[in-house]
Amino acid sequence: MKPISELINPSVLEIKPSGIRKFFDIAESMQNVISLGVGEPDFKTPWHIREAGIHSLERGHTRYTSNRGMEELRRAVTDFMKRKYDLTYDYQSEVLITVGGSEAIDACIRTFISAGDEVLIPEPSFVCYRPITELAGGTPVIIQTKEEDQFKLTAAQLREHITDKTKMLILPYPNNPTGAVMRKKDLEEIAAVLKDTDILVLSDEIYAELTYGGERHVSVAEIDGMKERSIVVSGFSKTYSMTGWRLGFACGPAAAIDQMNKIHQFGIMSSPTTSQYAAIEALKNGDHDISDMREEYDTRRKFIVNEFRKMGLHCFEPEGAFYVFPSIQSTGMTSEEFCEKLLMQKHVAAVPGTAFGACGEGFIRVSYCNSLKNLRTAVNRIKVFLKGE
Amino acid sequence: MEQLTEKLIHILEENARYSVSELSSMLDVDEQKISTIMEKLEADGIICGYKAIVDWDKFSDAHVTALIEIKVTPQRDAGFEEIAEKIMEMDEVESVYLMSGGFDLCATVQGKTFKDVALFVAKRLAVMDNVISTATHFVLRRYKELGVALLNKQKDDRGVMSL
């Protein structure tokens, strides 16, 4: 009889565990670390939202909901999409409530991608698109975005990477780890390239509400002709500090959502009921929470960017999410070396840019999901570190 | 400008020890401007001082705070002002407020022992002209002071690294 290790699906075996896992383990085992390495909000879920979840439990709402999610929640999602981005979706057929944005991404890729299909993935970006594509039998095609383009995907780059096998483009903006955003004009240029193709867009807009600098986030689905071929994924984790509630959603054409719902219904059944009740409260009465948190993030963002610049580190202006992505090339160290030494010597944790794709070399991801007090201490330690003291 | 000033006040209220350079980073304006606004806020009496928030219980047992309700007879013309001013002159008194509701003035008083504070009230406050009655409430434990949790600080349970 073969050992169980020899029975594993080769596609799963081929997924490489992240190379920096070891570094992460060291960081987790250390004491007195100030972490700039966390990809989730430090704020607690606002109390009225938590209370709505608690109240639903008190009333005994502990059963499955409909596969697609509670009708009231789907209505609230479509109201939100209309209010924020002027996008009209039908709550009955064009919305799916998922277990975080991640499940929506997984269901969407698996719905469309089969053997031989190519998926365009701009990097640096969050790490899930590539393995999910591979599991579906598809081929990830990486597009390396550049700092000189503010880490935006350019029309020229997109055109270069399209082949007759290209099936899907992932648009991970506002971007983790760079903080880059795609403004309306940028999206129009992308749309112009896609216009005469059969390529669909999976737009991961989980950080949409954390967009800074006065202009609101623009969804790719708002661009003429794009709504019919785009799946927009978002969720509650970053917008309302609800990471642990595990709740997200996908909006898109009914024909796509219907099929995604098949995968969702067999894999998940329905998203967590308590979380759905809390999410209704978030969408209905949480706009001020978003603006309060965004304002606080914005102060931290400015602080970190300006302090890095004062230290002499080149720092691209991030306009979204809650990360800054300074270049550490002037130190002569690689991203991993820099992060490892910073951790060991000064007990400050940051993530090497290479964790998000090879083109992240020379950069580090600094999360400002931490109090100004801690950010300040971290900045002071980095200052000393750079002086080699 | 007004927005910037308000933001600056909020940041300083949260932590007054940021340097002008750090404040300029947070607000994305130059240091000169920060200094000018701060000087004006101080001159206008909007920012009245910068003090440490101290948890004396951790330092020694010889520190007692009491909240004292005071009922007074308001005076013709001067109202409550004169008596409030007299009370606030006393060194033991940390703060004085005019209150709505069941009593008129509220003072917080600090002393070394319960007896100290009780005697202060009996000998100095209660005997004042126009003071009708007082009620002394001793603080037994401080959980939160000026927005800062003093007890049961919650630990960050997020771990150090996540993508």
Side-chain angles (χ1 to χ4, degrees):
Chain A
M1 208 172 131
K2 284 183 185 172
I4 202 160
S5 59
E6 284 178 29
L7 302 175
I8 291 170
N9 175 353
S11 312
V12 174
L13 278 180
E14 267 175 39
I15 298 177
K16 307 236 173 352
S18 170
I20 57 164
R21 193 61 252 175
K22 225 167 71 193
F23 172 62
F24 276 31
D25 291 341
I26 297 170
E28 295 288 353
S29 69
M30 280 174 71
Q31 298 292 311
N32 302 321
V33 172
I34 294 194
S35 181
L36 309 178
V38 185
E40 63 173 312
D42 55 318
F43 299 111
K44 287 180 201 141
T45 307
W47 174 245
H48 66 106
I49 300 173
R50 279 187 270 161
E51 205 172 32
I54 294 166
H55 192 46
S56 79
L57 289 172
E58 284 173 348
R59 282 176 298 169
H61 294 307
T62 55
R63 303 199 170 88
Y64 298 127
T65 68
S66 87
N67 295 134
R68 288 167 185 262
M70 290 164 61
E71 185 181 310
E72 193 185 353
L73 176 56
R74 280 181 281 130
R75 277 181 194 268
V77 166
T78 54
D79 287 349
F80 179 86
M81 296 303 275
K82 180 78 192 160
R83 178 167 83 238
K84 295 280 183 183
Y85 317 116
D86 199 25
L87 284 169
T88 308
Y89 287 104
D90 172 26
Y91 73 92
Q92 283 179 310
S93 61
E94 296 181 318
V95 182
L96 179 66
I97 305 297
T98 54
V99 180
S102 332
E103 194 226 334
I105 292 165
D106 178 58
C108 180
I109 292 176
R110 286 203 279 159
T111 294
F112 288 99
I113 301 305
S114 56
D117 292 337
E118 291 181 355
V119 177
L120 301 176
I121 305 173
E123 280 186 353
S125 61
F126 186 56
V127 292
C128 75
Y129 315 115
R130 189 199 281 242
I132 296 173
T133 299
E134 286 168 346
L135 279 177
T139 309
V141 176
I142 303 305
I143 305 179
Q144 302 197 328
T145 62
K146 297 183 195 126
E147 196 196 11
E148 64 206 59
D149 301 320
Q150 292 88 49
F151 292 108
K152 293 172 197 269
L153 172 65
T154 66
Q157 281 183 311
L158 174 60
R159 214 175 285 117
E160 259 169 50
H161 288 84
I162 291 176
T163 71
D164 50 9
K165 291 188 186 133
T166 307
K167 184 85 170 274
M168 178 185 275
L169 164 67
I170 312 262
L171 268 185
Y173 295 95
N175 182 269
N176 171 12
T178 62
V181 300
M182 294 283 278
R183 298 293 184 187
K184 186 157 186 265
K185 185 177 142 290
D186 307 315
L187 292 168
E188 280 168 350
E189 288 170 18
I190 297 300
V193 177
L194 296 178
K195 207 174 100 199
D196 300 316
T197 70
D198 293 320
I199 301 169
L200 71 120
V201 173
L202 165 52
S203 190
D204 182 354
E205 301 181 16
I206 193 85
Y207 292 99
E209 284 304 296
L210 302 178
T211 299
Y212 312 100
E215 275 176 75
R216 72 162 173 91
H217 166 80
V218 175
S219 170
V220 68
E222 290 177 69
I223 310 300
D224 252 0
M226 290 309 293
K227 184 162 173 267
E228 298 71 27
R229 59 162 83 200
S230 301
I231 314 296
V232 175
V233 167
S234 190
F236 299 87
S237 298
K238 324 288 179 179
T239 315
Y240 299 101
S241 278
M242 291 179 71
T243 46
W245 298 80
R246 305 311 307 126
L247 206 69
F249 57 86
C251 294
I257 296 293
D258 278 348
Q259 301 304 315
M260 284 167 64
N261 187 36
K262 277 196 209 162
I263 299 176
H264 172 76
Q265 127 184 28
F266 295 123
I268 300 292
M269 188 74 91
S270 66
S271 297
T273 304
T274 312
S275 305
Q276 292 193 52
Y277 277 97
I280 292 169
E281 170 65 21
L283 290 171
K284 287 191 173 168
N285 300 309
D287 281 2
H288 68 283
D289 299 312
I290 303 175
S291 46
D292 289 354
M293 289 192 265
R294 183 171 44 217
E295 197 185 328
E296 175 66 24
Y297 283 134
D298 196 24
T299 306
R300 300 172 183 183
R301 178 183 74 98
K302 288 174 183 160
F303 175 68
I304 283 279
V305 169
N306 286 325
E307 289 292 313
F308 277 137
R309 287 178 181 164
K310 284 177 189 173
M311 281 180 224
L313 284 185
H314 177 73
C315 194
F316 145 84
E317 179 85 37
E319 294 180 277
F322 36 55
Y323 310 105
V324 295
F325 205 57
S327 162
I328 47 90
Q329 285 157 43
S330 59
T331 66
M333 286 184 255
T334 67
S335 302
E336 280 192 48
E337 253 180 291
F338 185 95
C339 290
E340 211 172 304
K341 283 191 178 152
L342 181 63
L343 177 67
M344 293 308 189
Q345 294 175 15
K346 299 295 170 207
H347 293 204
V348 174
V351 182
T354 44
F356 306 93
C359 58
E361 183 54 83
F363 299 89
I364 62 168
R365 189 194 76 175
V366 169
S367 154
Y368 45 87
C369 289
N370 214 324
S371 63
L372 270 170
K373 185 174 159 234
N374 284 343
L375 293 178
R376 179 189 193 214
T377 312
V379 159
N380 288 334
R381 290 188 191 178
I382 296 172
K383 265 184 210 161
V384 178
F385 174 72
L386 286 176
K387 283 186 196 149
E389 288 163 8
Chain B
M1 183 68 181
E2 206 160 279
Q3 224 179 346
L4 176 68
T5 305
E6 190 177 343
K7 191 84 215 255
L8 177 63
I9 295 173
H10 278 301
I11 292 173
L12 288 171
E13 197 182 25
E14 192 248 331
N15 183 351
R17 294 200 67 198
Y18 292 121
S19 66
V20 171
S21 165
E22 286 170 324
L23 292 166
S24 89
S25 286
M26 285 172 207
L27 295 165
D28 208 18
V29 294
D30 62 45
E31 296 183 17
Q32 187 54 50
K33 193 160 191 181
I34 298 285
S35 300
T36 311
I37 300 175
M38 282 179 72
E39 279 160 23
K40 183 157 178 4
L41 285 169
E42 288 166 20
D44 292 349
I46 294 170
I47 289 181
C48 310
Y50 307 88
K51 293 177 109 179
I53 300 164
V54 182
D55 187 354
W56 279 105
D57 292 341
K58 290 208 180 87
F59 184 76
S60 80
D61 289 335
H63 195 90
V64 176
T65 305
L67 192 148
I68 298 158
E69 298 174 7
I70 309 164
K71 282 187 186 159
V72 300
T73 318
Q75 291 159 292
R76 186 186 300 273
D77 300 330
F80 295 99
E81 299 303 300
E82 206 164 289
I83 182 101
E85 275 170 32
K86 275 186 191 156
I87 293 172
M88 90 187 198
E89 285 300 318
M90 301 172 184
D91 288 340
E92 294 84 344
V93 173
E94 187 191 48
S95 54
V96 184
Y97 308 112
L98 178 64
M99 308 297 289
S100 66
F103 56 99
D104 305 311
L105 295 172
C106 170
T108 55
V109 172
Q110 306 215 16
K112 282 205 168 75
T113 64
F114 282 72
K115 197 174 168 189
D116 270 354
V117 175
L119 285 176
F120 167 78
V121 175
K123 291 189 173 166
R124 311 260 319 266
L125 269 186
V127 296
M128 287 173 79
D129 289 345
N130 305 315
V131 169
I132 302 166
S133 69
T134 63
T136 304
H137 308 276
F138 285 104
V139 173
L140 299 181
R141 177 177 278 188
R142 289 161 193 260
Y143 296 94
K144 195 176 185 183
E145 192 74 64
L146 291 168
V148 177
L150 303 183
L151 274 178
N152 303 328
K153 283 183 190 158
Q154 281 190 356
K155 280 195 81 176
D156 192 337
D157 52 9
R158 292 178 299 162
V160 174
M161 296 289 225
S162 60
L163 295 175

